Structure formats: structure tokens, C-alpha cells
Amino acid sequence: MELLSIDRKPGAATIALVDLDVDAEALKRYASWLDIAERERATRFRNDRDRNRFIARRGQLRELLGRDLGIAPGALRLAEDGYGKPMLLDAPELSFNLSHSNGRALIATARGMAIGCDIEWRNPELACPKVAKRLFAPAEYEELIALPAEQWTAGFYNCWTRKEAYVKALGLGLSYPLDAFTVSIVPGKPARFTSDEKGWAMTSFEPAPGFQAALVTRAGPSPAR
């Protein structure tokens, strides 16, 4: 587990990058911390690699949350709200979010604020105009296709991760469309909302070579949309 940033003051986020391909001893330890619901979810994976990665990310999430709260990882009570957003039943003031891609996971935690994160492996095959036109807002699509060819993949994943992180911070799941708001996409320029999303802050970064990530936060709980 690599802590990219750690700050437990209210209004600050802790971010960790974790490897999901772990050795057998670590996997056994993580599996021992899972609750009944998590174990049932693990059994639904037909592929051993996907099952093991699920166990590793849930175990390392529990490890990080337990460390923050001073609670044994296996004693944490995790649940999901009606939109599928995860929460801690015994410590609702500690918000957290998890995203995973290509064997890595990003875990973000914060106290007293809404938080969402996203990590994506920059796969150039997925970063195509057809996908961008279907998922992004028209203004974002037009800005993206105007980029030089060598910036296309970076611009695509800038847009993708920033939008996903915001939707996850809102906690409304797939009920909130990705084209309902807009973000900056140009590589090398600051990450920001280009639509009027008052009170929200956005950060974009490369947590590891070949990966793009974004973090979106807002002081206080997510407002109803």
C-alpha cells in the first residue's frame, strides 16, 4: 500500500494506491477480514484473478479504514446506500471511495466532506471517438477532437476520470448522466469544472506510470440533485 497523501484534518483527503496482485499469504489475511456479504460477492467471480483482486481490494480498503479509525479491519461494518455508495455504519463522518483498474486500486478517505475518486489504465483502444461521443457532453467531445493526435488518449482519460470521480462523489450512481456537467480535458492544464458546480474541488494526477486518476471533494455531505 502506497500512501500518495495523508492528512487526517477535516477537509483533507488521504489517498492510497494499492496493488491487487498480492501473494498467497496476504490474500489469505485479506480474505479473513471480509464479512458474509463480501465473501458471497467473491464467490460470484468465475475467474480466479478477478476473485483474488476483489478480495485484495476489499481487504486493503478495510486495512486503511481500520488504521484510520483504530479498529480491527475485520470488525468494520461496511454497507451501501440505495445508490450503491459504500459507507461505514459505525463512523459515518469518515467518507471513503474506491476505484480499480488493471490490477491497481485507488482508495480515498476524508472526514466531514463528500469524496469521489477514479483511476483508469490509459488503454488507447478504449479512448476512441465513438465512446467519447456517447458518454461525454457535446462541448467536451468537440474540445477532445480538436486536440493533436498525440494528446488524444491523455485528454480522453482526463475527461473520463474527472467525470467518474464527480459522479461517485455525488453518490447517485448511474442515475446521474455523465453529460449533465462538463470538465476541463486539455493535458497539462489545471483540472476544473467548466460547468457551474459550486463548492466542488477537483484534482487530477498520475498515480503510477500509464494510469490517470482524479479526486473530487466538497465540504459537507453531497447535496441532493
Side-chain angles (χ1 to χ4, degrees), residues 155-183:
F156 178 94
Y157 283 103
N158 279 347
C159 192
W160 181 288
T161 55
R162 295 168 193 183
K163 294 175 84 68
E164 286 285 342
Y166 179 52
V167 170
K168 293 175 74 177
L170 285 173
L172 298 178
L174 296 176
S175 68
Y176 198 73
L178 288 177
D179 60 358
F181 61 97
T182 56
V183 300

Side-chain angles (χ1 to χ4, degrees), residues 188-201:
K189 292 192 176 181
R192 63 184 181 87
F193 289 99
T194 53
S195 55
D196 189 18
E197 311 300 318
K198 289 184 173 65
W200 292 94

Side-chain angles (χ1 to χ4, degrees), residues 3-175:
L3 288 174
L4 303 180
S5 71
I6 181 166
D7 192 336
R8 293 189 171 90
K9 297 190 298 293
T14 293
I15 308 169
L17 178 69
V18 301
D19 193 338
L20 300 181
D21 295 320
V22 300
D23 61 37
E25 183 178 347
L27 190 67
K28 182 178 180 180
R29 182 172 68 254
Y30 296 146
S32 72
W33 296 339
L34 304 189
D35 61 23
I36 293 175
E38 289 169 321
R39 291 173 186 173
E40 288 178 350
R41 286 180 63 183
T43 63
R44 297 180 197 144
F45 290 93
R46 297 183 179 181
N47 182 285
D48 287 344
R49 187 192 69 176
D50 293 341
R51 183 187 312 110
N52 292 343
R53 285 180 174 180
F54 170 80
I55 293 170
R57 66 178 179 264
R58 297 297 293 196
Q60 291 180 89
L61 170 65
R62 283 178 168 273
E63 184 177 33
L64 184 65
L65 295 175
R67 183 186 305 173
D68 197 302
L69 295 169
I71 299 174
L76 294 170
R77 295 196 304 153
L78 302 177
E80 294 182 350
D81 65 16
Y83 291 100
K85 187 172 184 179
M87 67 177 72
L88 280 162
L89 292 178
D90 299 318
E93 75 283 357
L94 180 62
S95 300
F96 65 93
N97 203 230
L98 182 149
S99 176
H100 62 95
S101 178
N102 199 40
R104 297 288 186 94
L106 195 69
I107 303 171
T109 67
R111 294 180 182 274
M113 65 180 184
I115 190 167
C117 69
D118 190 55
I119 183 173
E120 300 291 341
W121 170 253
R122 289 193 293 260
N123 178 1
E125 295 181 4
L126 178 63
C128 65
K130 182 178 179 180
V131 173
K133 191 169 187 177
R134 180 168 57 89
L135 296 179
F136 301 162
E140 292 166 332
Y141 176 74
E142 292 300 324
E143 188 172 13
L144 186 60
I145 63 174
L147 289 177
E150 64 272 16
Q151 292 187 341
W152 170 272
T153 299
F156 178 94
Y157 283 103
N158 279 347
C159 192
W160 181 288
T161 55
R162 295 168 193 183
K163 294 175 84 68
E164 286 285 342
Y166 179 52
V167 170
K168 293 175 74 177
L170 285 173
L172 298 178
L174 296 176
S175 68

